[in-house]
């Protein structure tokens, strides 16, 4: 049976997923079975280091695929609160190792960590039309509120849709562990640079909490066991 680890950063994100399935407290992580897969649920804490440590623990526990889910900021004007972004690739927006590396590239590693195309295809085919936005998610250790910094990121990564603090670190860990597949599934909590961004973020759990949980179940249902 395929083992899929779901990694969330915050308590609120963790609890929304925990309510989805009949998790038991066997071993180090909550475990459940859903759609022909063994599910591990892991809370990492916020930020790249916490995310990488949790991802490594998931790999050590035998996870065949890593999934990071939770909130993200929208950094494209086409997005609004409640939109769901499935990353076809991820990278860092706050890494610079000097020439000849590209902005966002860790020296010796690819600039982009790409989700396997067959995984993207399977998920898109199995979800309602328009349910997902598919594109680039960028990660960094900062909660973005500065419109000036947003413009810098969009200039460096014009195709970026969403920004978070964990996805690239989890993808890098998966890459370094025998290039295991990963999924970054994020729901937009706020759109960076909007005048009411802070209010939008603070009100997220009052506005669309059910969708944050449901998106995980919708994607897992769409993703059958033959993806590796």
């Amino acid at each position: 049976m395929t083992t899929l680890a779901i990694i969330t950063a915050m308590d609120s994100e963790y609890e929304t997923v925990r309510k989805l399935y009949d998790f038991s407290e066997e071993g180090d992580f909550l475990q459940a079975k859903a759609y022909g897969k063994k599910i591990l649920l892991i809370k990492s804490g916020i930020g790249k280091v916490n995310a990488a440590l949790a991802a490594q623990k998931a790999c050590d526990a035998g996870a065949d695929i890593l999934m990071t889910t939770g909130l993200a900021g929208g950094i494209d004007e086409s997005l609004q609160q409640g939109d769901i972004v499935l990353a076809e690739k991820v990278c860092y927006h706050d890494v610079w190792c000097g020439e000849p590396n590209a902005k966002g590239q860790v020296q010796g590693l690819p600039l982009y960590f790409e989700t396997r195309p067959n995984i993207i295809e399977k998920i898109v085919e199995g979800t309602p039309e328009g349910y997902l936005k598919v594109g680039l998610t960028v990660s960094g250790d900062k909660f973005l509120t500065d419109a000036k910094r947003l413009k810098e990121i969009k200039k460096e990564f014009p195709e970026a849709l969403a920004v978070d603090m964990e996805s690239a670190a989890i993808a890098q860990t998966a890459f370094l562990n025998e290039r295991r597949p990963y999924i970054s599934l994020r729901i937009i909590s706020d759109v960076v640079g909007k005048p009411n961004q802070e209010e939008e973020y603070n009100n997220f759990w009052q506005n669309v909490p059910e969708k944050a949980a449901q998106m995980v179940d919708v994607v897992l249902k769409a993703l059958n066991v033959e993806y590796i």
Side-chain angles (χ1 to χ4, degrees):
M1 178 180 292
T2 297
T3 298
L4 184 147
I6 300 176
I7 302 172
T8 70
M10 299 188 296
D11 289 338
S12 52
E13 298 165 338
Y14 183 84
E15 291 302 324
T16 61
V17 178
R18 186 174 186 173
K19 294 174 183 177
L20 286 175
Y21 310 115
D22 184 20
F23 283 101
S24 63
E25 297 189 11
E26 301 175 15
D28 295 329
F29 311 113
L30 293 184
Q31 300 183 25
K33 292 181 180 178
Y35 306 116
K37 292 177 278 293
K38 178 181 178 181
I39 308 297
L40 304 180
L41 180 57
I42 303 171
K43 181 171 59 179
S44 66
I46 294 172
K48 294 185 297 187
V49 172
N50 283 330
L53 289 170
Q56 187 60 57
K57 289 178 182 177
C59 291
D60 293 343
D64 301 296
I65 183 168
L66 307 182
M67 179 179 184
T68 172
T69 190
L71 309 185
I75 59 170
D76 189 87
E77 61 183 14
S78 68
L79 295 177
Q80 57 186 353
Q81 186 182 71
D83 283 345
I84 298 169
V85 175
L86 174 66
E88 62 181 350
K89 57 185 179 181
V90 299
C91 74
Y92 300 106
H93 67 73
D94 63 349
V95 167
W96 172 231
C97 294
E99 299 291 351
N101 303 286
K103 290 287 182 67
Q105 181 181 15
V106 176
Q107 187 163 311
L109 295 176
L111 169 59
Y112 297 112
F113 300 104
E114 299 185 4
T115 306
R116 293 188 182 180
N118 60 327
I119 292 179
I120 297 291
E121 181 180 359
K122 184 67 67 176
I123 292 173
V124 171
E125 286 180 352
T127 52
E129 184 176 355
Y131 185 77
L132 301 165
K133 309 278 188 180
V134 180
L136 171 64
T137 292
V138 294
S139 302
D141 277 322
K142 187 174 183 179
F143 184 78
L144 290 176
T145 57
D146 184 358
K148 181 180 178 181
R149 178 59 186 143
L150 168 63
K151 290 179 180 178
E152 292 173 350
I153 293 172
K154 284 296 286 183
K155 184 177 179 180
E156 293 169 355
F157 306 100
E159 59 185 311
L161 295 179
V163 60
D164 69 12
M165 299 175 71
E166 294 86 25
S167 286
I170 290 171
Q172 179 181 336
T173 305
F175 182 88
L176 293 174
N177 281 266
E178 302 173 335
R179 304 194 180 191
R180 299 185 198 200
Y182 81 93
I183 299 168
S184 171
L185 180 71
R186 295 284 175 153
I187 188 166
I188 299 302
S189 59
D190 55 295
V191 179
V192 179
K194 286 180 62 174
N196 66 333
Q197 179 190 354
E198 184 175 356
E199 179 183 358
E200 192 174 55
Y201 177 81
N202 289 335
N203 292 336
F204 174 83
W205 292 110
Q206 284 73 49
N207 293 343
V208 285
E210 296 86 2
K211 194 172 184 181
Q214 290 170 352
M215 70 177 184
V216 174
D217 188 62
V218 168
V219 166
L220 289 188
K221 186 176 181 180
L223 189 66
N224 68 30
V225 296
E226 299 176 357
Y227 51 72
I228 295 180

